[in-house]
């Protein structure tokens, strides 16, 4: 069956036969054809079966379709209009009833609220005419439509994307065609994708239609199984922080595998009235199996949007087509005019070749059979279409200044600026002896000139760059810097030439006309008791840099940023009020910014106790351990404080900016600096402070220690002191003098005396040595024998003498010569207790007696 869906039409352009060489890219003057009112979309296909491409245009205001039958040479017959059945902004061509004749499918989205979506089918009669529309209502959440035979029954089906009105989540559904212009109930293909855009192509070359949808931070391929169901496959992921804006499909490297061209963007706020957008346009090469290679970035655009002075280099409405006949899909876009970037086949492209014709949502197709993509552009305001026929030459070297400009647009006297030009050889042959010439206008001073190929010289205001060889599809970038010396309009002239004949010389020259303006100085200054910064575009950041120069008429946004302890009171001079200010530079300007130091609230502590003070709103938390505690507040701010005692202390009252004894009743309105004192007192009590916590004394001697007694919280009671000693007996004696501290004593103390007289040095029995042990055994053995009567009388007398000798030996061995030993060191603990009911405290002192 025949299916012509716009995305497929674009991708198929690269399948045409390759010519021997790649011609340059030129277009004849556009020819306008009238259509209906407010044309919104177009599709190119052969609707009358004569082998010549025709153009179908859907018109949203006149609710009809215009058919322009092609003559085969790039011209078209006058439009014939057919009822569309309503206002439909989208159009596809396909065979919905399987009769071999192309039909039209029109789509209108729902609004997510009360307006339902709809699809209108116009059956083709095969001669470029159409039957009455058959309109089918869809849901209110339907957003976009694609068409194709996804289940293999030779009947065209629909792919719809639906956005949940509440969550915005996108679901992709298939509506199988019945073959009579109606469709069966929707079946979900995939849910939770990130964009309503759906493209159709065969990504794995199995003859079954696949889908490409935005899913997360990239593009997801859904491979068709040929039965109306799909399976997920590879994802082309864009850079972190970027989101996919649009997708087109084409064979960029002519390998027979469909590639993705992805426009992704990242936006960031730069202020309440300011936003920066960065654009990436990238290629993801298809691998032929449903997966894609890594991102190859080939264009970076940027936009800066603010109240005054917005700028943009974003490109939009991407389209693919083989514009130079080399078999590789090139990229077209809209950037104020229609422009083309020729593919180098490796994911890189030539600089943009711009054309004067502008328009939105262009379509590329070969309209005259020369294997070169032509361009059709809807003309919304003119109610028709503009056809641009590609008449690129087939020989010579087509040099062209494809882009040129002046940095900064309007600029001022004495402010350096630069002219720039991209010179591209569009082929098909290499260019030799390439020379670029720039004739600078009067009233400027030459500064420098550079070229990415070759060298540049300057003489009498003429810059000459000898580029030399410039190969087919290669480009050279030339930058010339100059300084204007007088106000007024100036025009710069550029041209490029080579040895080879140039069959399209119209783009060999370019000019830039600029207006040199007077320059004025903006000066900012800061006033008041506070502090902060004042900034303005163009380099002002005051404190450091407080003036800058701007051209006449420039709108300059001046902003302030008060520091944490100050308040911005307002502008003076060329600005007024207290919000961001826009100054129009009609002369030297002065702007003043007044900052006032915010009132400070300081919290002090008194009374010797401990505690915290905190603001009810959490803006201030102070502790008695902090020597300084303060915070600043805007004038007129009311701050409520709460006091909380810690460590057994008692809150006794506020003083300063607050008074009273309620810890929760302190509210200060800050119109000037204020101080609040919170008093925390300790409970009546006393403490021991021994001069030493360890003592050493000799046996038979005394030692003393002084115990200081500190009082707190107004303690004035009498204190009774006592002491005790624990350790091996006998223990040293302890005494306290005085043992009673009278009430109100001045710096009271008591002397502790330890007396070790009871531990006078004493001899200590020494244990028997080895000789004594043997003597003892001998003595006791002989004595036992004598007592048993086992010896004769004479023998017993001898043994008695021996026994007497053993006893003497035993006595000497046990006594060690003196019978006593030196005493050993002993440890004791002295506990001193002070009592003043109900308060009682103790302290311990360790003692070693030697």
């Amino acid at each position: 069956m025949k299916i012509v869906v716009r995305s497929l039409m674009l991708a198929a352009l690269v399948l045409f036969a390759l010519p021997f060489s790649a011609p340059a890219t030129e277009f004849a003057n556009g020819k306008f054809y009238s259509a209906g009112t407010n044309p919104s979309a177009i599709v190119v296909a052969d609707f009358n079966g004569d082998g010549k491409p025709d153009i179908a245009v859907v018109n949203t205001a006149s609710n009809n379709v215009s058919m322009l039958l092609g003559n085969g040479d790039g011209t078209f017959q006058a439009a014939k209009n057919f009822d569309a059945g309503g206002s439909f902004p989208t159009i596809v061509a396909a065979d919905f009833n399987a009769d071999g004749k192309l039909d039209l499918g029109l789509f209108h989205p729902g609004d997510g609220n009360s307006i339902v979506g709809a699809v209108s089918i116009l059956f083709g009669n095969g001669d470029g005419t159409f039957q009455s529309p058959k309109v089918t209502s869809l849901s209110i959440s339907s957003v976009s439509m694609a068409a194709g035979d996804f289940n293999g029954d030779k009947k065209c089906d629909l792919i719809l994307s639906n956005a949940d009105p509440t969550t915005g989540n996108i679901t992709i559904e298939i509506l199988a065609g019945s073959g009579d212009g109606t469709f069966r109930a929707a079946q979900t293909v995939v849910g939770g994708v990130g964009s309503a855009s759906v493209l159709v192509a065969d990504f794995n070359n199995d003859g079954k239609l696949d889908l490409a949808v935005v899913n997360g931070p990239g593009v997801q391929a859904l491979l068709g199984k040929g039965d109306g169901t799909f399976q997920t496959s590879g994802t082309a992921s864009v850079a972190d922080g970027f989101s996919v804006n649009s997708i087109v499909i084409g064979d960029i490297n002519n390998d027979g595998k469909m590639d993705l061209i992805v426009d992704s963007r990242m936006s960031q706020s730069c202020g309440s009235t300011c936003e920066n957008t960065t654009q990436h346009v990238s290629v993801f090469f298809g691998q032929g199996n449903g997966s894609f290679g890594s991102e190859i970035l080939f264009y970076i655009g940027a936009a800066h949007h603010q109240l005054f002075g917005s700028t943009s280099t974003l490109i939009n409405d991407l389209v693919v087509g083989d514009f130079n006949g080399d078999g590789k899909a090139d990229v077209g876009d809209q950037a104020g005019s229609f422009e083309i970037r020729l593919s180098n086949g490796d994911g890189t492209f030539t600089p943009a070749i711009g054309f004067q014709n502008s328009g939105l949502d262009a379509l590329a197709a070969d309209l005259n059979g020369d294997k070169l993509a032509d361009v059709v552009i809807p003309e919304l305001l003119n109610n028709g279409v503009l056809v641009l026929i590609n008449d690129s030459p087939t020989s010579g070297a087509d040099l062209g200044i494809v882009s040129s400009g002046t940095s900064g647009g309007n600029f001022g006297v004495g402010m350096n600026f630069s002219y720039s030009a991209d010179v591209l050889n569009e082929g098909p042959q290499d260019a030799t002896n390439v020379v670029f010439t720039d004739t600078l206008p009067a009233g400027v001073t030459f500064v420098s000139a550079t070229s990415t190929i070759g060298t540049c010289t300057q003489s009498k205001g003429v810059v000459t760059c000898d580029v030399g060889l410039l190969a087919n599809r290669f480009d050279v970038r030339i930058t010339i810097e100059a300084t204007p010396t007088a106000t007024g309009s100036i025009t710069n002239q550029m041209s490029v030439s080579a040895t080879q004949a140039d069959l399209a010389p119209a783009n060999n020259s370019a000019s830039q006309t600029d207006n040199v303006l007077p320059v004025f100085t903006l000066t900012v200054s800061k006033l008041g008791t506070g502090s902060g910064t004042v900034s303005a575009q163009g380099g002002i950041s005051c404190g450091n840099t407080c003036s800058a120069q701007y051209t006449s008429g420039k709108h300059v946004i001046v902003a302030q940023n008060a520091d944490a302890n100050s308040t911005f009171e307002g502008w003076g001079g060329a600005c007024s009020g207290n919000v961001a200010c826009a100054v129009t530079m009609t002369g030297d300007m002065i702007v003043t910014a007044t900052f006032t130091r915010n009132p400070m609230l300081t919290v002090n502590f008194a009374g010797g106790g401990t505690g915290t003070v905190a603001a009810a709103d959490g803006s201030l938390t102070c502790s008695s351990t902090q020597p300084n505690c303060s915070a600043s507040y805007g004038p007129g701010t009311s701050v409520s404080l709460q006091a909380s005692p810690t460590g057994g202390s008692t809150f006794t009252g506020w003083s300063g900016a607050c008074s009273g004894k309620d810890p929760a009743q302190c509210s200060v309105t800050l119109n000037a600096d204020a101080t609040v004192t919170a008093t925390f007192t300790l409970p009546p009590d006393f403490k021991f402070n021994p001069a030493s916590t360890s003592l050493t004394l000799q046996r038979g001697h005394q030692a003393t220690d002084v115990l200081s007694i500190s009082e707190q919280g107004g303690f004035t009671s009498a204190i009774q002191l006592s002491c005790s000693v624990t350790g091996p007996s006998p223990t040293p004696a302890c005494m306290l003098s005085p043992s009673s501290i009278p009430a109100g004593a001045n710096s009271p103390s008591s002397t502790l005396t330890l007396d070790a007289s009871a531990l006078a040095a004493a001899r200590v029995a020494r244990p028997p040595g080895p000789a004594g042990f043997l003597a003892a055994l001998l003595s006791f053995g002989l004595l036992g024998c004598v007592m048993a009567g086992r010896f004769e009388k004479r023998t017993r007398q001898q043994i008695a003498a021996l026994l007497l000798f053993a006893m003497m030996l035993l006595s000497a061995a046990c006594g060690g010569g003196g019978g006593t030993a030196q005493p050993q060191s002993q440890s004791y603990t002295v506990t001193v207790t002070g009592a003043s009911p109900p308060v009682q405290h103790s302290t311990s002192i360790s003692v070693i007696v030697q």
Side-chain angles (χ1 to χ4, degrees), residues 447-533:
V447 177
S448 65
T450 58
S451 174
T452 55
I453 302 176
T455 59
C456 297
T457 59
Q458 183 270 152
S459 177
K460 297 180 180 180
V462 177
V463 178
T464 302
C465 296
D466 292 319
V467 176
L469 174 67
L470 190 60
N472 176 25
R473 284 205 304 267
F474 274 68
D475 67 288
V476 57
R477 177 80 172 179
I478 297 168
T479 303
I480 301 169
E481 190 172 4
T483 306
T485 58
T487 61
S489 178
I490 58 174
T491 300
N492 186 59
Q493 300 288 345
M494 298 176 172
S495 64
V496 64
S497 62
T499 299
Q500 286 70 25
D502 195 324
L503 299 181
N507 60 355
N508 287 23
S509 61
S511 64
Q512 304 83 29
T513 298
D514 298 283
N515 192 26
V516 181
L517 301 174
V519 173
F520 301 115
T521 300
L522 172 63
T523 303
V524 300
S525 61
K526 298 184 292 181
L527 304 176
T529 59
S531 59
T533 59

Side-chain angles (χ1 to χ4, degrees), residues 317-696:
D317 302 308
L318 300 180
V319 63
V320 294
D322 186 3
F323 295 104
N324 62 351
D326 64 353
K328 303 172 187 134
D330 309 309
V331 175
D333 62 73
Q334 293 289 341
S337 65
F338 182 72
E339 58 185 23
I340 292 172
R341 290 173 169 81
L342 300 178
S343 172
N344 295 319
D346 58 358
T348 63
F349 293 78
T350 66
I353 307 168
F355 302 92
Q356 295 301 311
N357 307 96
S358 63
L360 300 177
D361 205 19
L363 175 65
D366 181 7
L367 301 177
N368 56 2
D370 63 356
K371 307 301 186 290
L372 298 176
D374 308 303
V375 177
V376 185
I377 302 174
E379 291 276 308
L380 181 65
L381 298 180
N382 296 324
N383 298 323
V385 294
L386 186 68
V387 176
L388 305 178
I389 297 299
N390 191 332
D391 61 355
S392 301
T394 58
S395 64
D398 182 16
L399 292 177
I401 301 176
V402 295
S403 66
S404 64
T406 311
S407 64
N410 292 335
F411 40 85
V413 174
M415 302 174 68
N416 283 7
F417 70 96
S418 61
Y419 292 120
S420 62
D422 274 317
V423 178
L424 172 67
N425 179 11
E426 301 178 49
Q429 297 176 349
D430 295 344
T432 57
N433 297 322
V434 176
V435 176
F436 174 87
T437 302
D438 187 293
T439 302
L440 294 172
V444 303
T445 300
F446 171 80
V447 177
S448 65
T450 58
S451 174
T452 55
I453 302 176
T455 59
C456 297
T457 59
Q458 183 270 152
S459 177
K460 297 180 180 180
V462 177
V463 178
T464 302
C465 296
D466 292 319
V467 176
L469 174 67
L470 190 60
N472 176 25
R473 284 205 304 267
F474 274 68
D475 67 288
V476 57
R477 177 80 172 179
I478 297 168
T479 303
I480 301 169
E481 190 172 4
T483 306
T485 58
T487 61
S489 178
I490 58 174
T491 300
N492 186 59
Q493 300 288 345
M494 298 176 172
S495 64
V496 64
S497 62
T499 299
Q500 286 70 25
D502 195 324
L503 299 181
N507 60 355
N508 287 23
S509 61
S511 64
Q512 304 83 29
T513 298
D514 298 283
N515 192 26
V516 181
L517 301 174
V519 173
F520 301 115
T521 300
L522 172 63
T523 303
V524 300
S525 61
K526 298 184 292 181
L527 304 176
T529 59
S531 59
T533 59
V534 181
S535 60
Q537 59 197 120
I540 290 179
S541 180
C542 189
N544 296 322
T545 303
C546 296
S547 66
Q549 290 187 317
Y550 302 89
T551 55
S552 175
K554 175 73 174 179
H555 296 287
V556 183
I557 304 297
V558 184
Q560 58 78 28
N561 185 26
D563 71 13
N565 296 322
S566 299
T567 297
F568 176 66
E569 295 294 338
W571 300 106
C575 287
S576 60
N578 56 9
V579 296
C581 171
V583 179
T584 301
M585 299 299 295
T586 57
D588 291 340
M589 298 288 184
I590 296 176
V591 172
T592 62
T594 300
F595 298 95
T596 300
R597 188 179 71 83
N598 292 334
M600 298 289 294
L601 174 60
T602 301
V603 176
N604 292 330
F605 293 85
T610 61
T612 61
V613 174
D617 61 0
S619 59
L620 180 68
T621 300
C622 300
S623 170
S624 56
T625 59
Q626 297 172 290
N628 298 302
C629 185
S630 61
S632 67
Y633 295 87
T637 302
S638 181
V639 182
S640 296
L641 300 178
Q642 169 77 47
S644 302
T646 60
S649 298
T650 301
F651 175 75
T652 58
W654 301 102
S655 59
C658 286
S659 60
K661 298 183 180 298
D662 189 335
Q665 293 294 321
C666 178
S667 181
V668 182
T669 300
L670 292 163
N671 291 307
D673 290 351
T675 300
V676 171
T677 299
T679 300
F680 295 93
T681 58
L682 294 169
D685 202 353
F686 67 91
K687 294 181 179 178
F688 283 126
N689 299 292
S692 177
T693 58
S694 64
L695 296 174
T696 301

Side-chain angles (χ1 to χ4, degrees), residues 1-3 94-100 103 123 146-159 174-184 209 226-228:
M1 67 179 293
K2 290 183 179 180
I3 302 172
D95 186 0
F96 286 96
N97 56 358
D99 63 355
D103 312 314
F123 288 130
D149 180 12
F150 299 101
N151 57 7
D153 64 356
K154 309 301 181 184
K155 301 171 185 176
C156 191
D157 313 310
L158 296 181
I159 294 290
I174 181 171
L175 282 70
S178 301
D180 58 0
T182 63
F183 302 90
R184 296 194 284 273
L209 292 179
D227 58 359

